[in-house]
Amino acid sequence: METKQLTRRQIFTMKNRKNLEKKVYKFWEETKNTDLVVEYIVAIILRNALIVSDFSLPCPEIVRELLFQAQPNDTLRKFCPFFKDYVEEHEWLSIINRLFKNETKYYKATKKMRLYEGYLKDRGHAVITDQYDSYTLTSIFEDANGKKHTWNLRDADPSNTLEETKRILRVLTTLTIFHKGDVRQFVKFMECDFKGTTTIYSTKQPKEQSAQKLTTETTKATVENSMLEGFDLSMLTKEELIALIKEIFEEAEEQMIEKGDPTLNDEVSQSIEEGTNGQETSLISRITPENDAQSLSNDAEESVPVLADYDEEKPPEKISKRRYTKKERELLKRFKLR
């Protein structure tokens, strides 16, 4: 009868350390599978670095048997730096010679794993400000097919900083024992959340806002609306209205310069110049207040003959019309309603 392999759930969720170690011992005695047992023990060591409960130096008898008696293979050589604390210093030198023949080959072959083993020890530097009854580490990985999967680890250690946790989780990507069907999991670390009652830290980035910004026209229109809001235009004098319209023309000129439209730029500039010289523009002439309309009616008798003579001698020159902006049309409409 084939012995069942340990599952991810058993390795990372069994609360009783002795029961978990019994399962590893039983599997080792029945199979003597060095590759799987080495990775099982490394996974438990990794779990110990992430949680509060004590799972340090698991299965010491099996580890010593692996280091001193098991047939050397690539898996044992790859992960042996994680077992250094199981033996004395002088014993470790003999193990290196047994597995690698000499120290030079050992340091060259285990450069990456010795760094990862240091990650599991160099931790616990977080400043704990809020105490919660329990903590959960939620991490997201990609599997061998590039599909994301989520892993939740309870009893997480709040003394690990975000960077320390990320480094430890990357060690998990070196293990090959966890599969869903035939697909290997934990191939690539993506992100993680650490939560008590609320999220304590997270690698997730805020949702990206749209890269497209508001156009200059929309922004300026918003500014104009905020400036005019709350004002009664009917209470403004003619001079104040002229100053307001000149300001709008100046803003329009800036817009045309930004757009690079020389024709409209010249028209706006000409309108501003006429206004500054005391000459009314066609727009200003159309919004003459009612108190000035009375003075115009008094001079109607003198104005009519002059216009008649002007019409008989030659037709009036056509005045080039420029399309008014939305804000100008709104101003005109308000004055017509006065």
Side-chain angles (χ1 to χ4, degrees), residues 12 66 169 209 225 235 266 300 311 334:
F12 290 119
L66 288 167
L169 290 174
Q209 298 181 355
N225 289 335
M235 301 298 293
D266 292 341
D311 292 338
R334 292 188 182 185

Side-chain angles (χ1 to χ4, degrees), residues 156-338:
D157 189 354
S159 67
N160 292 333
T161 65
L162 172 60
E163 290 303 318
E164 290 168 352
T165 300
K166 287 165 60 178
R167 290 197 299 263
I168 297 171
L169 290 174
R170 288 193 176 96
V171 179
L172 188 56
T173 63
T174 65
L175 301 177
T176 61
I177 55 177
F178 301 115
H179 295 78
K180 186 175 183 180
D182 296 329
V183 181
R184 179 191 162 196
Q185 295 186 309
F186 301 105
V187 173
K188 182 181 179 181
F189 169 71
M190 301 298 293
E191 56 192 28
C192 67
D193 285 334
F194 191 84
K195 298 180 180 180
T197 303
T198 60
T199 300
I200 299 174
Y201 59 69
S202 173
T203 61
K204 294 182 179 179
Q205 301 296 326
K207 293 183 178 180
E208 294 184 1
Q209 298 181 355
S210 174
Q212 183 179 6
K213 295 181 180 180
L214 294 176
T215 61
T216 305
E217 294 81 5
T218 305
T219 304
K220 290 187 176 181
T222 303
V223 173
E224 290 176 3
N225 289 335
S226 62
M227 290 175 62
L228 293 174
E229 186 176 358
F231 283 87
D232 185 0
L233 296 178
S234 62
M235 301 298 293
L236 299 178
T237 63
K238 178 178 177 180
E239 290 73 16
E240 291 172 337
L241 287 170
I242 292 174
L244 178 61
I245 295 172
K246 282 170 59 179
E247 184 177 344
I248 295 175
F249 279 146
E250 290 173 357
E251 293 181 359
E253 181 185 18
E254 293 177 1
Q255 279 187 281
M256 296 306 105
I257 293 174
E258 291 177 0
K259 291 183 177 180
D261 189 338
T263 304
L264 294 177
N265 184 31
D266 292 341
E267 292 180 2
V268 175
S269 299
Q270 183 179 357
S271 299
I272 296 172
E273 183 179 354
E274 291 176 357
T276 56
N277 291 334
Q279 299 175 3
E280 294 182 350
T281 63
S282 58
L283 176 61
I284 297 172
S285 63
R286 295 185 183 189
I287 59 174
T288 303
E290 290 181 358
N291 54 4
D292 292 336
Q294 183 65 32
S295 60
L296 291 176
S297 61
N298 294 335
D299 299 333
E301 294 180 358
E302 297 178 1
S303 300
V304 173
V306 174
L307 291 175
D309 294 340
Y310 177 78
D311 292 338
E312 290 176 0
E313 291 178 0
K314 60 177 181 179
E317 294 181 0
K318 292 184 178 180
I319 301 175
S320 60
K321 295 183 178 180
R322 177 175 63 81
R323 295 182 63 182
Y324 300 117
T325 65
K326 182 177 179 181
K327 182 56 63 177
E328 292 172 344
R329 292 196 300 270
E330 184 180 353
L331 289 172
L332 289 172
K333 183 177 178 180
R334 292 188 182 185
F335 274 101
K336 289 180 180 179
L337 294 176
R338 288 175 53 189

Side-chain angles (χ1 to χ4, degrees), residues 35-125:
D35 292 335
L36 289 178
V37 171
V38 166
E39 292 203 27
Y40 289 159
I41 297 175
V42 172
I44 298 173
I45 294 172
L46 186 148
R47 176 189 178 184
N48 179 71
L50 290 171
I51 65 174
V52 176
S53 301
D54 182 17
F55 281 77
S56 60
L57 300 177
C59 309
E61 293 84 0
I62 297 179
V63 172
R64 291 186 65 87
E65 184 177 347
L66 288 167
L67 294 176
F68 288 105
Q69 300 177 22
Q71 181 66 32
N73 63 14
D74 292 340
T75 303
L76 182 56
R77 293 188 183 96
K78 176 181 178 180
F79 291 104
C80 70
F82 292 94
F83 302 146
K84 184 177 180 180
D85 292 339
Y86 285 83
V87 298
E88 300 294 335
E89 185 65 29
H90 68 277
E91 292 179 316
W92 184 244
L93 293 176
S94 64
I95 291 170
I96 290 177
N97 291 328
R98 190 178 90 85
L99 297 179
F100 297 92
K101 304 303 181 184
N102 59 65
E103 290 188 49
T104 302
K105 291 183 178 180
Y106 163 71
Y107 286 116
K108 183 177 180 180
T110 62
K111 182 177 180 180
K112 183 176 181 180
M113 286 303 165
R114 284 186 288 111
L115 179 65
Y116 282 166
E117 191 268 342
Y119 291 163
L120 302 188
K121 294 180 179 179
D122 184 18
R123 60 185 182 85
H125 299 101

